[in-house]
Amino acid sequence: MNAYTEVQNHLVRSHPLERQLAEYRRDNERVLKLGTKLGANAWYHFGIIDFDGVIDELEKAVALPGAVPEVDPQARQLLAALRDVNPTLKALTRYQTTREFKEDGYKFAREQHPILVPKVEAAAKAMDAYGTALFERELARDVRRAALLPEDAPARRFLATSLALRRAVQRFEAL
């Protein structure tokens, strides 16, 4: 479980995919349509980094002995989504370093755009499902812990407050 949590921490720190995809769309919509017709100031901006490190961490976590039935299916789905999008991300990152990048009117980027966006959306959805599964498991664990503590224990009251706050945050985010 700790390995899964480490993967989640890495994802949260390094790959805010929904925000990155929104920025990608905002920054590139006109450039992808018009290419170099926008003039010398036009610039295709690709800000989504590859998932090599996360894939390695997640592969190791999935391969560890012991099952986490609440999280394992989402971890496998996330791993498949990241493996699917990673080659496209790498190709676009590599393309940005070539001379053709500025000279060909972002041709390769325009070709990859309809491939990239659905793959990133699928990866973002899988990341969300994975994070939700981890969160739900943690809540269930803390509910069990609270039930084992004496009714008047300060730790139980603290845990109950923490659970109530986390559930409130979860409901707020669902809006």
Side-chain angles (χ1 to χ4, degrees):
M1 198 58 220
N2 288 339
Y4 280 158
T5 303
E6 284 300 315
V7 169
Q8 178 66 8
N9 290 340
H10 187 156
L11 285 168
V12 170
R13 282 190 316 269
S14 314
H15 298 281
L17 266 189
E18 289 180 5
R19 185 190 53 137
Q20 288 176 332
L21 183 58
E23 289 173 357
Y24 169 82
R25 285 179 164 150
R26 183 195 69 225
D27 294 347
N28 298 312
E29 185 175 285
R30 292 189 69 222
V31 172
L32 289 172
K33 283 182 187 172
L34 302 173
T36 52
K37 293 178 187 173
L38 287 173
N41 292 332
W43 188 257
Y44 170 80
H45 174 258
F46 183 71
I48 305 171
I49 59 173
D50 67 58
F51 289 97
D52 286 347
V54 176
I55 289 171
D56 289 344
E57 286 180 36
L58 195 52
E59 284 174 340
K60 289 175 187 172
V62 168
L64 287 172
V68 184
E70 307 92 339
V71 182
D72 286 343
Q74 289 80 9
R76 285 187 203 90
Q77 289 174 353
L78 176 58
L79 187 56
L82 296 179
R83 285 178 178 156
D84 186 41
V85 73
N86 212 39
T88 306
L89 295 174
K90 287 181 164 205
L92 282 165
T93 301
R94 196 170 30 255
Y95 170 65
Q96 239 181 308
T97 64
T98 66
R99 188 176 75 214
E100 290 80 23
F101 171 68
K102 196 70 168 160
E103 294 175 357
D104 69 1
Y106 314 112
K107 181 182 175 206
F108 183 72
R110 287 197 313 269
E111 291 169 354
Q112 293 301 304
H113 179 75
I115 297 166
L116 173 72
V117 171
K119 287 182 178 187
V120 172
E121 288 171 340
K125 185 176 177 182
M127 283 172 60
D128 188 46
Y130 177 74
T132 299
L134 285 173
F135 188 77
E136 291 294 332
R137 184 179 190 282
E138 183 178 315
L139 282 177
R141 180 199 65 205
D142 287 349
V143 166
R144 288 189 303 272
R145 281 183 182 166
L148 296 174
L149 294 170
E151 192 71 33
D152 60 343
R156 183 180 182 138
R157 289 193 301 274
F158 177 73
L159 197 51
T161 301
S162 172
L163 284 165
L165 179 61
R166 287 184 279 169
R167 286 185 182 124
V169 167
Q170 188 179 35
R171 283 191 299 271
F172 176 76
E173 288 177 345
L175 296 174

